[in-house]
Amino acid sequence: MAHNEEDSIEMDQQNDNDAETEDAEKSLIIDPDSEELDFNHSRLTKLENLEPLTKARKLCFTWNLIKKIENLDTLSSLIELQLRDNQITIIENLDALVSLEILDLSFNRIKKIEGLNNLLNLRSLYLSSNKIVSIENLSYLKNLETLELGDNKIREIVNLDDLTNLTNLYLGKNKITKIQNLESLQNLQLLSLQSNRITKIENLEELTKLDELYLSENGITCIEGLENCSKLTTLDLGNNKIKKIENIQHLQDLEDFWMNNNEIEDWITVESLVVNKSIKTVYLERNPVSKDPNYRRKIKLLLPWLVQLDATLCR
């Protein structure tokens, strides 16, 4: 006997639902002795049935549909928790994770930094691409070494004084107007402030261990304020409004110098780079000087030790 069309559609839908249920169940078959489990792209909507995982050290739930952090109370041995790319709005229910060292909550819908007070062993915290307005509630995290807060809605650098072990700080793509309040971060080796609203390089005097500084896509007009940053190996000043290369002669360890998309038009200012003998890569494309027909030849004669000019290797 022939089925009518409605019956066929209903059966197809039922089969699809059964397949989805079966996939979901498959994705949650877990070995209680596992130390690492990966549930990427598993279409999970909830954190549940994790109680047996008392030996778990790393759990990965990236690219799911999870809306709430919950049901983690038995996971005190957990070292790393990945919840990137979900739909989480609140940082909560993490108090039991006293061994946690790495927490990734990037690409969610979080508006406030909170609920981290018990994570005293945390070394790396990733909160990029959320809706965070203020840096706050981090003072307990004395062991924090990496803090990623890029692509949020932060307007001011504040409340970092107690994070004296911080080595990497990412604050790119926010709404920050001033470099400030970094004096206590004397172990900082990488500082990223790309794509903000900064107009002046300042208040870096205490950052004597700084190795990489990223300040591209701001409104900076002058290279200054780097007197005490003599260990810099990477300096990114691309996409600003700088007319002159100056005040970097003391950066004798500088290897990568990115100055693309600025307003440098005088070759005399480019010649100041001859004292920086460690430079391997220079970006000067889309400056007025790069329109010179002999641009590449002049640069290579000036800096014969150069390995790369713009995107092209030097022969």
Side-chain angles (χ1 to χ4, degrees):
M1 186 171 66
H3 294 289
N4 66 32
E5 190 174 342
E6 284 185 10
D7 287 342
S8 296
I9 292 172
E10 192 174 321
M11 285 179 69
D12 287 344
Q13 288 176 340
Q14 183 61 45
N15 288 337
D16 287 345
N17 290 338
D18 288 346
E20 284 186 17
T21 303
E22 188 179 340
D23 285 347
E25 286 174 356
K26 276 183 186 174
S27 69
L28 283 174
I29 292 173
I30 51 179
D31 176 1
D33 292 325
S34 295
E35 291 193 0
E36 293 190 15
L37 291 104
D38 193 330
F39 299 109
N40 281 345
H41 288 280
S42 298
R43 298 198 300 276
L44 298 179
T45 57
K46 192 173 183 181
L47 290 172
E48 58 185 349
N49 304 321
L50 302 173
E51 291 80 9
L53 298 177
T54 54
K55 297 179 182 178
R57 293 174 63 81
K58 179 179 179 179
L59 284 180
C60 191
F61 292 98
T62 58
W63 290 97
N64 280 290
L65 304 168
I66 296 163
K67 295 182 178 179
K68 183 179 174 70
I69 303 173
E70 59 186 340
N71 300 319
L72 302 174
D73 293 347
T74 59
L75 308 182
S76 58
S77 63
L78 204 62
I79 300 294
E80 180 173 350
L81 177 60
Q82 299 268 355
L83 284 164
R84 183 186 181 95
D85 285 286
N86 278 283
Q87 299 172 8
I88 295 163
T89 56
I90 299 173
I91 306 173
E92 59 185 337
N93 300 320
L94 294 172
D95 288 349
L97 308 187
V98 292
S99 301
L100 202 65
E101 294 181 9
I102 301 169
L103 175 61
D104 190 348
L105 290 165
S106 299
F107 294 91
N108 277 284
R109 301 170 185 179
I110 296 162
K111 293 182 179 179
K112 184 176 182 180
I113 303 173
E114 59 188 334
L116 302 171
N117 296 2
N118 265 28
L119 309 186
L120 304 183
N121 288 303
L122 204 63
R123 295 183 182 277
S124 300
L125 175 61
Y126 302 95
L127 288 166
S128 64
S129 300
N130 278 285
K131 299 178 179 181
I132 295 165
V133 175
S134 178
I135 304 172
E136 58 187 334
N137 300 321
L138 294 171
S139 58
Y140 296 92
L141 309 182
K142 309 287 188 189
N143 291 307
L144 203 63
E145 296 171 1
T146 296
L147 176 59
E148 163 67 274
L149 286 167
D151 193 14
N152 278 286
K153 299 180 178 182
I154 296 165
R155 294 181 180 274
E156 193 175 8
I157 303 174
V158 291
N159 301 323
L160 295 173
D161 295 347
D162 295 312
L163 306 185
T164 54
N165 285 308
L166 210 61
T167 56
N168 303 292
L169 176 59
Y170 299 88
L171 290 167
K173 209 173 177 185
N174 277 286
K175 300 178 179 181
I176 296 165
T177 57
K178 185 172 183 176
I179 303 174
Q180 62 184 343
N181 301 320
L182 297 172
E183 293 80 9
S184 64
L185 307 185
Q186 295 179 15
N187 287 306
L188 210 60
Q189 296 173 21
L190 184 153
L191 175 61
S192 176
L193 288 162
Q194 298 151 303
S195 302
N196 276 285
R197 301 171 181 179
I198 295 162
T199 56
K200 185 178 174 65
I201 305 174
E202 60 185 334
N203 300 319
L204 299 175
E205 291 82 10
E206 302 300 322
L207 307 188
T208 58
K209 294 182 180 178
L210 206 60
D211 181 65
E212 300 174 55
L213 177 60
Y214 300 93
L215 290 167
S216 61
E217 297 187 59
N218 279 286
I220 297 165
T221 57
C222 176
I223 303 176
E224 60 187 331
L226 301 174
E227 292 79 16
N228 291 4
C229 301
S230 59
K231 293 187 177 180
L232 276 178
T233 63
T234 299
L235 178 58
D236 178 11
L237 293 168
N239 287 282
N240 279 286
K241 300 176 181 178
I242 298 166
K243 297 182 185 298
K244 190 176 180 183
I245 297 174
E246 59 186 338
N247 301 321
I248 65 165
Q249 289 86 350
H250 65 293
L251 304 181
Q252 288 301 301
D253 294 331
L254 193 64
E255 296 179 6
D256 293 276
F257 182 51
W258 302 339
M259 280 290 295
N260 51 289
N261 298 77
N262 275 281
E263 300 174 9
I264 295 163
E265 57 185 356
D266 192 339
W267 275 101
I268 293 175
T269 186
V270 179
E271 289 172 7
S272 66
L273 290 173
V274 296
V275 300
N276 299 96
K277 304 291 186 184
S278 296
I279 283 189
K280 292 183 173 72
T281 300
V282 170
Y283 273 84
L284 282 167
E285 59 190 353
R286 291 185 289 280
N287 278 276
V289 290
S290 68
K291 294 178 182 177
D292 187 319
N294 295 312
Y295 162 68
R296 287 190 65 84
R297 183 170 176 271
K298 285 185 177 180
I299 295 282
K300 286 195 278 186
L301 286 171
L302 192 66
L303 309 171
W305 50 84
L306 214 58
V307 174
Q308 182 177 327
L309 175 56
D310 301 329
T312 310
L313 294 175
C314 298
R315 289 193 293 181

